Amino acid sequence: MSTLAYSAGRRLNAGSTPQAELDPLLLWPALGLLMFGLVMVYSASIATAEGSRFTGHQSSYFLVRHAVFLAVGLVAGVMAFQIPLRLWQQAAPWLFLAGVLLLLLVLIPHVGRAVNGAQRWLPLGPINLQPSELMKLFAVLYAADYTTRKLADMGSFRRGFVPMALVMVLVGALLLREPDFGAFVVIVGIAFGILFLGGINARLFAVLIGVMAIAFVILIWSSPYRRDRIFGFMDPWQDAYGRGYQLSHALIAFGRGEWLGVGLGASIEKLFYLPEAHTDFLLAVIAEELGFFGVFAVVAMFALLVQRAFAIGRQALVLDRLYAGLAAQGIGIWIGIQSFINMGVNMGLLPTKGLTLPLMSFGGSGIMANCVALAVLARVDWENRQLMRGQSV
């Protein structure tokens, strides 16, 4: 830590009230989204659970499982919080390698589990592990470590950019084999967002954005089902019972909700009209049942959470903690990109894509990864505060 940053921290705390151990503006929105998600997953999944033989026709099936996932995720988060950032940095390359191996493993026939034509899960007894969700966290940790180690080479195309690009090509190829285009977009966004924050050459970054845009267009146009999603997005009412089915019913849910909603539990669209109501289209159910103000509350909590992630990261950078700062801001990029895409899909602003709403949608792997990520972010904040107090961490 520099003498200037240390002195600034001492002056900031001198004569002020004792500083909290953790940022309440980080903790309360995170807990609010997790608890609100539990309530809305139950509301959105009752009809699906009662009507399925797979669930034993138990209305609380998804509620109980989500509550268990949430409890396990919170315990994992508490454990992850105990790990200093220097250990996360040391483990980052190995965690990333483990994530790549899991992505390979899920593609092996009779090992990975396929659902609706996508092979994304590893069956582990009563639960299914989705490696792409863990890979988002590992991508944050690895990209922050890579940028920290390569800081002096960020202006070089060959030494700074090419190695990370090759790694992302490998990960992208594995994700597209599943296929999981949404996770691919999020992970690439995380990696190159952290490179940008780490000081990659601005002209090179602009060229990169152009190349990525062309690559995404090619990937979409070369895949019939992705191309159909684009056409369905452009005019969902033209084929409301086919390629525009999901979006048309999401828009109906938003329209029915108006300002205050039809009431908690009173959604019609979740009654087998809106597919994946408790996962990808949870926000549409929130819009229908709680209206504009319910959606606004969700958006506001996500916005505050992302803002605090960047503020914590910026404070770490002031304290000469480059890895911690980039990891914190990388988590902000992850939550921001994924929540923006999910909300955009639900509102008809983006083409339909199978991405869940972070912290809220049903899914054990996602909740686990999100809780651990928040714990790492809270650890960055805690270590910042200890340094600001002049204590060793």
Side-chain angles (χ1 to χ4, degrees):
M1 182 178 66
S2 68
T3 303
L4 179 61
Y6 177 82
S7 300
R10 298 289 289 180
R11 288 196 302 271
L12 182 64
N13 288 301
S16 63
T17 56
Q19 198 178 36
E21 287 294 319
L22 290 173
D23 185 356
L25 293 179
L26 169 66
L27 293 181
W28 289 115
L31 290 173
L33 288 168
L34 289 170
M35 295 301 106
F36 190 25
L38 181 65
V39 173
M40 293 311 303
V41 163
Y42 181 44
S43 177
S45 66
I46 291 177
T48 302
E50 287 182 341
S52 173
R53 288 180 297 175
F54 173 76
T55 64
H57 304 288
Q58 299 176 3
S59 62
S60 61
Y61 177 84
F62 291 104
L63 169 66
V64 172
R65 288 178 68 84
H66 192 70
V68 171
F69 295 151
L70 188 55
V72 173
L74 289 173
V75 170
V78 171
M79 295 172 64
F81 178 78
Q82 311 303 319
I83 302 174
L85 261 294
R86 66 178 184 275
L87 296 183
W88 282 114
Q89 183 175 6
Q90 293 170 9
W94 301 105
L95 290 173
F96 190 81
L97 178 60
V100 171
L101 293 176
L102 288 174
L103 291 179
L104 284 168
L105 190 62
V106 80
L107 295 175
I108 298 175
H110 309 297
V111 175
R113 181 187 178 202
V115 177
N116 296 328
Q119 192 162 325
R120 303 177 185 173
W121 295 268
L122 290 173
L124 302 175
I127 63 173
N128 293 308
L129 176 68
Q130 189 171 357
S132 60
E133 291 293 338
L134 300 181
M135 197 64 190
K136 295 170 187 175
L137 173 61
F138 299 159
V140 169
L141 300 175
Y142 176 74
D145 174 59
Y146 175 87
T147 305
T148 302
R149 288 186 286 107
K150 295 276 189 174
L151 191 62
D153 298 322
M154 282 294 105
S156 169
F157 175 79
R158 182 174 61 86
R159 297 189 302 273
F161 169 71
V162 170
M164 177 60 78
L166 292 176
V167 168
M168 286 299 107
V169 167
L170 171 62
V171 172
L174 294 175
L175 289 170
L176 293 175
R177 285 287 297 169
E178 296 184 4
D180 195 344
F181 186 70
F184 170 62
V185 171
V186 172
I187 289 172
V188 169
I190 290 169
F192 293 123
I194 291 177
L195 285 181
F196 176 75
L197 294 172
I200 194 172
N201 182 279
R203 185 177 301 175
L204 173 60
F205 189 77
V207 173
L208 168 66
I209 295 298
V211 172
M212 286 175 56
I214 295 172
F216 284 146
V217 170
I218 294 173
L219 284 171
I220 291 170
W221 200 256
S222 62
S223 174
Y225 85 91
R226 294 192 189 109
R227 193 166 60 244
D228 285 344
R229 285 183 172 182
I230 294 294
F231 291 139
F233 159 72
M234 293 172 66
D235 187 3
W237 308 109
Q238 186 181 32
D239 188 10
Y241 292 99
R243 61 192 181 193
Y245 183 81
Q246 291 176 306
L247 179 54
S248 61
H249 280 279
L251 293 175
I252 290 171
F254 270 85
R256 293 192 73 244
E258 298 184 352
W259 289 97
L260 299 175
V262 298
L264 184 63
S267 166
I268 298 297
E269 285 301 314
K270 70 185 182 185
L271 303 179
F272 304 104
Y273 294 104
L274 184 63
E276 310 297 339
H278 58 301
T279 54
D280 299 354
F281 286 92
L282 185 66
L283 188 70
V285 177
I286 294 173
E288 186 178 2
E289 296 190 347
L290 303 178
F292 170 82
F293 290 104
V295 174
F296 179 80
V298 172
V299 173
M301 283 190 284
F302 273 111
L304 181 56
L305 194 62
V306 172
Q307 187 274 331
R308 294 316 302 160
F310 275 87
I312 290 168
R314 186 169 60 249
Q315 185 182 52
L317 295 176
V318 169
L319 295 170
D320 291 340
R321 306 180 62 232
L322 180 59
Y323 176 77
L326 291 176
Q329 294 182 343
I331 291 170
I333 291 172
W334 168 16
I335 295 174
I337 289 177
Q338 185 165 335
S339 59
F340 176 79
I341 293 175
N342 179 273
M343 292 174 186
V345 167
N346 276 255
M347 297 178 187
L349 301 176
L350 294 172
T352 303
K353 190 71 222 78
L355 275 178
T356 57
L357 191 59
L359 303 171
M360 297 189 71
S361 293
F362 177 82
S365 300
I367 289 293
M368 173 79 73
N370 294 159
C371 288
V372 173
L374 289 175
V376 173
L377 181 57
R379 179 72 192 196
V380 175
D381 180 44
W382 184 84
E383 291 186 5
N384 286 347
R385 291 168 187 259
Q386 303 311 305
L387 287 174
M388 294 289 284
R389 290 174 176 177
Q391 299 175 358
S392 60
V393 179

